[in-house]
Amino acid sequence: MSTLHLFGIRHHGPGSARSLRQSLDSLEPDLILVEGPPDAAGVIEQIVSPDMSPPVAILIYAPEQPQQAVYYPFAVFSPEWQALDYGLQQQIPVQWMDLPQTHQLALRQQLDQQFEPPEADGDAGNVVPESSLPEIRHDPLFWLAQAAGFNDSERWWERMVEQRSETTDLFPAIVEAMSALRLELEKDHPLDLNNNRDYREALREAYMRQTIRKAKRAGHEKIAIICGAWHTPALAEPFPPAKQDSALLKGLPKLKVTSTWIPWTYERLANRSGYGAGITSPGWYHHLWTASDQPTVRWLTHVAQLLRQAEIDASSASVIEAVRLANSLAALRDCPTPGLPELNEAAQTVLCFGEELPLQLIHERLIISDRMGQVPDDTPMVPLQVDLQRWQKKLRLKPSVTPKELSLDLRKPNDLLRSQLLHRLNLLGIPWGRPTFNRGKGTFKEAWILEWQPEFEIALIEAGQWGNTIEAATTAYTCYLADNAANLPTLTELLDQVLLADLPDAITQLMARLQTEAAVASDVVHLMSALPPLAQILRYRDVRQTDTDVVAHVVDGLVTRICIGLPGACASLDDDAAAMMDKQIMATHSAINLLQNQDHQQMWWLVLKQLVNRETLHGLLGGRSCRLLLDGGQFEPSRAAQQLGLALSLATEPTQAAAWIEGFLKGSGLLLLHDQEIWQVLDQWVCELAPDTFVTLLPLLRRTFSTFPAAERRQMGERVIQGVVETGLQGWESEVLDCDRAEKVLPLIAQLLGLSAHNL
């Protein structure tokens, strides 16, 4: 006679796991059924591998559509993990019994809706629901917690279950509580199979019952059933008719799937990661599992060690005092032992001196934790994952969820290969490494921040369609991007990344595509946008030993076409278009200076002189062109002052003149401080403005002068206040003095100096 033993658990809870392990030891079942995906039956045995270290997750995905995927995370304190480990260690058969993902993913695709992972069924949820009764399914324990005087189910469950000592009488109480909740719910709100969520839950529970029926027919006498607490009433006998479940499951769609293990992190297990059945404090739960004796003392000791690492004083005496305070708070709140709220309050009061900022560090490093799991080397993987692991070992780059700084010297072969690998992964959309500063400027150094995320495993699987190695996949994907690039700037930016990644085959195709696009491109703005990345490539790629001859040929053509087309592209521009063109001109000017090619510079000076002399040119561009010519030594200061005088003449509209000043002075006021002639021209123009015109132009002028450093603006103000500019002895000699007016002040000066008037 088969007997069913229901163990309603929370998906991640050390108290549940500890009580479950003791209950299984007492029961000694001959079959263990666990809520989980039967698609992953082939990877169960790896749990007992010495190289398997949780947190890990089962990844189930459709090989032909890798974006169709779902994760099943496990921590060492997950009850399902402990149940599977117990069964394998005791050589007891273990099986998954949830609705296979081959059906769930197909339904998800068929229903075209946002689908939550199976773990997110709210078995001990964490979100406080709205007051409506159907929300019980999202957080079934909230109502029990509320009845017990708690404002959320997380704290109630932790107090009642996770902090309990080992007990076997917990699970019958859970079944009774869940039965009462479901009975109350179904009175007024029965399941609606037209509702996607209700339909999915009905399918899952029907499949679980069918699995149990098969186990009974196979002759198993003591069957242990480990499932989310909410499902226990539906799996308790008597069952509904088998025909009813068979009819519900008949004709379900299928999607070919495969499964594997991947490393997981406690950060991804936390609620904030978006994983619906996550927990708010995985690091704390890990501590409860590993430090069941004296958890309070051990926890506050870890807190003190962490604070000391952050150079915050935390003495042994303070730890003792914090332990006393935590125990006192627990006693005041009628708690058997201090929980996380009491420990946080004690730590903040005693160890953090009342400050909240150190608590953020404790939360990140201890309560959440940066722990990352590990899977065996023989875990099934796609070839691209295997190739990445090979490179990680070869280059000694170990994945870690903790951000890690990496400084590379590109003159060293190993560091150069590291750089190329990180750039290739970025091209594939796997940003394991993030550059922390511009890798140009001629330096042979690169700095990165490395931070691995579990989602990168899915990205690797998706990228596997492009090739079986990192180099092959990146090359194929880059060629695809090049063939579908929308414009010339996109191609040049892509070329810059490809050169950094050292992909010779992709470079060849990219350059052919770039030459074709540059030959037919008619938009001068696109040509100007394409030039700076290519200039960077020509100037700063020597350390990577890349062939840039083809790039130089493309650059020659771009510069020529820009210089020919720029005057026409600058005609009849409004203020916004002129501002955008001004940025392009400055970027192009910097790129041409960077190239240090005399022919390019000569063509550029000629086109700027054409712009300065165009009467219909927007003032911003005219002023900018004149300033560039002055700074480049093509105009003498007197010539620049002459151009300024023409731009500020009475024949010029005041707004056009103000725009010319903005372009001429934008970003630097040193020219006004050191060139008296230009100062006088500008000063005279301002003084001659009519009051109404001055008020109209004032915002434009203030916008220009606001770009100057504060010290420059202060010196200009002092010069204006003085009213007279000292020009040296020669300037004073040319002044005509009024002797009669000077003599009238002599008696006063003599009195101030204590002299008689005849001595002056």
Side-chain angles (χ1 to χ4, degrees):
M1 187 69 179
S2 298
T3 57
L4 306 183
H5 300 269
L6 295 171
F7 299 96
I9 50 88
R10 183 183 189 178
H11 286 302
H12 309 291
S16 298
R18 189 172 289 112
S19 296
L20 175 63
R21 191 87 185 210
Q22 182 180 6
S23 298
L24 292 175
D25 281 333
S26 301
L27 177 63
E28 296 183 353
D30 56 4
L31 175 65
I32 299 176
L33 299 179
V34 181
E35 178 187 336
D39 320 78
V43 300
I44 289 182
E45 297 290 339
Q46 288 186 298
I47 286 178
V48 293
S49 170
D51 296 327
M52 179 74 82
S53 176
V56 292
I58 294 176
L59 168 62
I60 300 178
Y61 64 96
E64 298 179 358
Q65 304 175 55
Q67 68 276 11
Q68 297 288 337
V70 65
Y71 303 98
Y72 284 79
F74 298 95
V76 67
F77 50 79
S78 298
E80 298 95 333
W81 179 271
Q82 290 299 321
L84 295 170
D85 180 72
Y86 171 84
L88 294 173
Q89 296 286 357
Q90 301 298 322
Q91 297 183 351
I92 298 172
V94 292
Q95 296 179 20
W96 300 113
M97 65 172 181
D98 202 353
L99 181 67
Q101 282 296 330
T102 185
H103 298 308
Q104 294 205 47
L105 289 177
L107 284 170
R108 167 183 172 178
Q109 190 177 44
Q110 187 181 75
L111 297 174
D112 191 25
Q113 66 172 18
Q114 184 66 32
F115 178 74
E116 297 176 353
E119 292 83 0
D121 57 10
D123 291 330
N126 310 296
V127 181
V128 177
E130 300 175 0
S131 59
S132 60
L133 195 57
E135 291 298 324
I136 292 179
R137 287 195 178 94
H138 294 275
D139 191 359
L141 300 182
F142 170 71
W143 307 103
L144 296 177
Q146 193 176 48
F150 290 79
N151 58 5
D152 67 83
S153 59
E154 177 81 17
R155 292 185 60 191
W156 178 82
W157 182 269
E158 180 177 333
R159 185 65 49 80
M160 299 299 296
V161 178
E162 306 309 340
Q163 292 183 284
R164 292 170 66 104
S165 57
E166 296 179 359
T167 178
T168 59
D169 60 357
L170 172 68
F171 299 105
I174 291 176
V175 174
E176 183 178 355
M178 293 300 105
S179 298
L181 285 174
R182 292 186 64 140
L183 181 62
E184 185 67 24
L185 174 65
E186 292 170 1
K187 283 182 181 179
D188 300 320
H189 299 273
L191 284 175
D192 179 10
L193 296 184
N194 292 321
N195 178 281
N196 288 338
R197 181 182 176 87
D198 286 357
Y199 177 57
R200 182 174 68 90
E201 292 302 303
L203 289 175
R204 294 179 61 202
E205 291 177 349
Y207 191 91
M208 292 183 198
R209 287 192 293 266
Q210 292 287 61
T211 303
I212 295 172
R213 291 187 182 103
K214 291 180 181 178
K216 294 178 66 175
R217 288 196 298 268
H220 295 287
E221 296 183 358
K222 291 189 290 185
I223 304 174
I225 301 171
I226 292 88
C227 62
W230 181 252
H231 298 300
T232 51
L235 305 183
E237 294 182 309
F239 291 164
K243 291 183 178 180
Q244 180 178 324
D245 288 339
S246 298
L248 186 62
L249 295 169
K250 185 178 180 180
L252 291 179
K254 288 186 177 182
L255 184 67
K256 183 180 178 181
V257 298
T258 188
S259 61
T260 186
W261 289 100
I262 62 171
W264 205 249
T265 68
Y266 278 167
E267 182 180 13
R268 302 302 299 172
L269 196 62
N271 263 349
R272 65 176 181 172
S273 71
Y275 170 57
I279 51 178
T280 58
S281 49
W284 163 244
Y285 276 7
H286 183 92
H287 174 76
L288 289 178
W289 176 259
T290 56
S292 57
D293 60 319
Q294 297 185 332
T296 301
V297 175
R298 295 177 183 273
W299 178 262
L300 290 173
T301 301
H302 291 324
V303 170
Q305 292 173 345
L306 177 63
L307 294 176
R308 289 169 187 165
Q309 293 174 4
E311 299 183 354
I312 299 175
D313 292 337
S315 66
S316 300
S318 297
V319 174
I320 295 172
E321 187 61 31
V323 171
R324 290 175 178 171
L325 178 56
N327 288 327
S328 299
L329 289 172
L332 287 173
R333 296 168 182 173
D334 197 24
C335 302
T337 58
L340 191 56
E342 290 76 29
L343 292 172
N344 282 341
E345 291 181 39
Q348 180 177 358
T349 302
V350 179
L351 297 173
C352 303
F353 307 101
E355 298 292 334
E356 294 185 2
L357 188 60
L359 282 181
Q360 297 181 12
L361 178 64
I362 296 171
H363 181 80
E364 294 289 335
R365 299 288 298 278
L366 292 180
I367 298 177
I368 298 296
S369 177
D370 56 2
R371 184 180 297 271
M372 182 176 180
Q374 180 180 346
V375 299
D377 293 338
D378 59 350
T379 301
M381 296 182 184
V382 297
L384 201 61
Q385 291 174 297
V386 176
D387 187 58
L388 177 58
Q389 285 193 356
R390 180 178 64 84
W391 278 106
Q392 288 171 338
K393 291 181 179 179
K394 178 179 179 180
L395 301 178
R396 297 187 296 280
L397 288 175
K398 185 177 181 180
S400 172
V401 295
T402 303
K404 176 184 177 183
E405 294 185 2
L406 178 67
S407 180
L408 300 179
D409 185 341
L410 301 182
R411 298 170 299 181
K412 299 178 180 179
N414 192 66
D415 280 4
L416 182 59
L417 289 174
R418 287 178 170 183
S419 173
Q420 292 168 356
L421 175 64
L422 295 174
H423 282 296
R424 289 173 181 178
L425 291 175
N426 280 337
L427 275 169
L428 286 175
I430 305 171
W432 177 24
R434 184 177 69 254
T436 58
F437 61 83
N438 188 353
R439 67 265 185 274
K441 309 302 181 187
T443 179
F444 52 83
K445 290 282 188 180
E446 275 188 350
W448 297 79
I449 297 293
L450 302 186
E451 184 176 7
W452 185 262
Q453 298 294 337
E455 289 83 356
F456 295 163
E457 302 288 348
I458 279 290
L460 280 168
I461 293 171
E462 292 179 346
Q465 63 181 304
W466 301 105
N468 292 333
T469 66
I470 298 295
E471 181 177 2
T474 311
T475 298
Y477 182 59
T478 302
C479 292
Y480 168 79
L481 293 178
D483 292 339
N484 293 274
N487 50 49
L488 191 58
T490 302
L491 282 171
T492 55
E493 292 176 6
L494 183 60
L495 178 61
D496 187 23
Q497 299 174 44
V498 170
L499 286 171
L500 290 169
D502 188 27
L503 302 170
D505 294 339
I507 292 173
T508 302
Q509 183 165 339
L510 248 177
M511 290 309 307
R513 179 82 173 83
L514 188 64
Q515 286 180 305
T516 302
E517 187 68 22
V520 299
S522 58
D523 191 332
V524 175
V525 174
H526 277 179
L527 295 173
M528 297 173 76
S529 299
L531 184 60
L534 293 177
Q536 290 277 344
I537 292 170
L538 284 179
R539 189 72 177 88
Y540 296 128
R541 293 298 178 265
D542 291 342
V543 72
R544 295 180 180 274
Q545 301 177 357
T546 52
D547 184 7
T548 55
D549 291 341
V550 181
V551 179
H553 179 69
V554 174
V555 166
D556 291 342
L558 285 178
V559 173
T560 302
R561 298 186 65 191
I562 289 170
C563 292
I564 293 174
L566 185 58
C570 292
S572 303
L573 299 180
D574 59 16
D575 292 343
D576 292 337
M580 294 180 62
M581 181 59 74
D582 177 61
K583 294 179 181 179
Q584 293 291 346
I585 288 176
M586 288 301 297
T588 303
H589 180 76
S590 298
I592 290 177
N593 284 340
L594 189 66
L595 291 171
Q596 297 182 356
N597 184 297
Q598 187 174 0
D599 293 336
H600 295 164
Q601 288 180 331
Q602 192 63 33
M603 285 190 291
W604 183 243
W605 296 134
L606 289 175
V607 75
L608 289 180
K609 290 176 181 178
Q610 291 181 41
L611 294 179
V612 168
N613 295 324
R614 289 174 68 94
E615 297 181 357
T616 59
L617 188 70
H618 193 282
L620 178 68
L621 304 182
R624 175 68 76 184
S625 300
C626 184
R627 178 61 181 272
L628 294 178
L629 289 167
L630 176 64
D631 292 344
Q634 301 301 305
F635 276 3
E636 295 294 333
S638 58
R639 175 71 182 279
Q642 180 185 8
Q643 292 293 143
L644 176 61
L646 292 173
L648 303 182
S649 65
L650 296 177
T652 306
E653 290 290 334
T655 54
Q656 175 79 350
W660 203 99
I661 293 173
E662 180 182 5
F664 187 68
L665 298 177
K666 191 174 183 180
S668 174
L670 290 175
L671 185 65
L672 286 176
L673 293 173
H674 295 290
D675 195 304
Q676 177 60 25
E677 191 173 359
I678 291 177
W679 173 279
Q680 288 178 343
V681 173
L682 181 60
D683 182 61
Q684 181 179 356
W685 176 74
V686 172
C687 292
E688 291 177 354
L689 288 174
D692 293 343
T693 305
F694 178 78
V695 172
T696 302
L697 298 181
L698 183 59
L700 300 177
L701 295 174
R702 291 186 64 181
R703 182 178 65 187
T704 301
F705 280 76
S706 67
T707 63
F708 301 160
E712 294 180 7
R713 296 199 304 269
R714 184 177 63 253
Q715 292 181 55
M716 293 178 191
E718 293 172 353
R719 173 175 275 185
V720 172
I721 291 173
Q722 291 174 1
V724 177
V725 181
E726 297 183 6
T727 58
L729 181 60
Q730 183 178 358
W732 283 106
E733 290 177 349
S734 64
E735 296 287 343
V736 178
L737 301 178
D738 189 337
C739 296
D740 293 335
R741 293 181 63 190
E743 288 178 355
K744 292 179 180 181
V745 302
L746 290 179
L748 178 59
I749 294 176
Q751 184 178 356
L752 292 173
L753 297 177
L755 302 174
S756 58
H758 70 273
N759 289 333
L760 292 175

